[in-house]
Amino acid sequence: MEDINVEPGDIIVTNYGTYQHWSLVSDRIGTDNKLMLISATKRLGTVAEEMWDTVVKGKKTYIVDAHISIPVQTILERARSQIGNWKYSLTSKNCEHFVKWAAGVEVTSTQVKAFGTGALLGAAGVAALSEDPKLVKFLGGALLLGGVAVMAARALEKPTNNEASSSVV
């Protein structure tokens, strides 16, 4: 895993195979001498400020290309206000929802939207192409295309200084 140069308030994503975990870079340094991360996790069921390696686990991680207009201290204060209070929900209060809420941008999850769209298209494809559609075929088509859609809905990486971008979270 290569090191990335992060600053407090940066939004990062860590690739965990079929999904990405979103976190905010803290202004606090952990006992490992790395900046800590604040994120909502299913593992804990809420928001926590944790050691870098506890969250990243050596997986590919990068800074999201986000254009945030509120001060870093405000973002971190908002994020910390939810430690132990945020009730994690995969569909409505996941890590992506949390980070976007703390950063003051539209609270959505591209991964949830992508799965829903992919699942509908997968089920519709089964209905259109199968001579004898059964529930298990509908579910299989939905899960397959939903999973592919989530993998395709990756957050855009922040460009290096010599690259240009006009992306928004």
Side-chain angles (χ1 to χ4, degrees), residues 11 22 66-70 75 78 96-108 168-169:
I11 297 171
W22 290 59
H67 304 284
I68 309 301
S69 60
I70 62 176
I75 294 170
R78 288 172 57 100
E96 187 177 355
H97 291 116
F98 167 73
V99 166
K100 289 179 177 181
W101 172 84
V105 297
E106 182 183 2
V107 179
T108 62
V168 179
V169 172

Side-chain angles (χ1 to χ4, degrees), residues 36 55 71 77 92 104 109 124 160:
M36 296 179 75
V55 177
E77 287 169 10
S92 63
S109 175
T160 59

Side-chain angles (χ1 to χ4, degrees), residues 10-11 21-25 37-41 46-49 70 74-109 169:
D10 280 346
I11 297 171
H21 180 73
W22 290 59
S23 304
L24 287 169
V25 177
L37 298 174
I38 307 171
S39 63
T41 69
T46 190
V47 171
E49 189 165 12
I70 62 176
T74 302
I75 294 170
L76 295 177
E77 287 169 10
R78 288 172 57 100
R80 288 187 179 115
S81 76
Q82 295 303 305
I83 292 175
N85 295 321
W86 187 274
K87 302 297 182 220
Y88 184 91
S89 164
L90 180 64
T91 58
S92 63
K93 293 183 90 173
N94 66 31
C95 58
E96 187 177 355
H97 291 116
F98 167 73
V99 166
K100 289 179 177 181
W101 172 84
V105 297
E106 182 183 2
V107 179
T108 62
S109 175
V169 172

Side-chain angles (χ1 to χ4, degrees), residues 2-159:
E2 67 182 64
D3 290 330
I4 59 174
N5 186 19
V6 296
E7 296 179 12
D10 280 346
I11 297 171
I12 64 164
V13 292
T14 302
N15 289 327
Y16 280 100
T18 56
Y19 73 97
Q20 291 184 314
H21 180 73
W22 290 59
S23 304
L24 287 169
V25 177
S26 173
D27 57 355
R28 295 180 181 161
I29 297 176
T31 57
D32 59 357
N33 290 322
K34 296 178 184 177
L35 288 169
M36 296 179 75
L37 298 174
I38 307 171
S39 63
T41 69
K42 181 179 180 184
R43 172 176 48 86
L44 299 173
T46 190
V47 171
E49 189 165 12
E50 300 179 284
M51 304 278 275
W52 180 277
D53 290 335
T54 300
V55 177
V56 171
K57 300 183 188 311
K59 304 286 187 189
K60 175 163 174 48
T61 299
Y62 59 87
I63 302 170
V64 173
D65 187 15
H67 304 284
I68 309 301
S69 60
I70 62 176
V72 169
Q73 278 313 116
T74 302
I75 294 170
L76 295 177
E77 287 169 10
R78 288 172 57 100
R80 288 187 179 115
S81 76
Q82 295 303 305
I83 292 175
N85 295 321
W86 187 274
K87 302 297 182 220
Y88 184 91
S89 164
L90 180 64
T91 58
S92 63
K93 293 183 90 173
N94 66 31
C95 58
E96 187 177 355
H97 291 116
F98 167 73
V99 166
K100 289 179 177 181
W101 172 84
V105 297
E106 182 183 2
V107 179
T108 62
S109 175
T110 54
Q111 296 176 104
V112 170
K113 286 181 180 179
F115 181 82
T117 301
L120 284 174
L121 291 174
V126 168
L129 300 173
S130 180
E131 291 181 22
D132 185 24
K134 302 273 190 229
L135 179 60
V136 72
K137 289 182 181 180
F138 284 113
L139 291 175
L143 288 174
L144 177 65
L145 213 51
V148 169
V150 168
M151 290 179 7
R154 300 284 188 210
L156 297 177
E157 187 169 354
K158 183 177 182 178

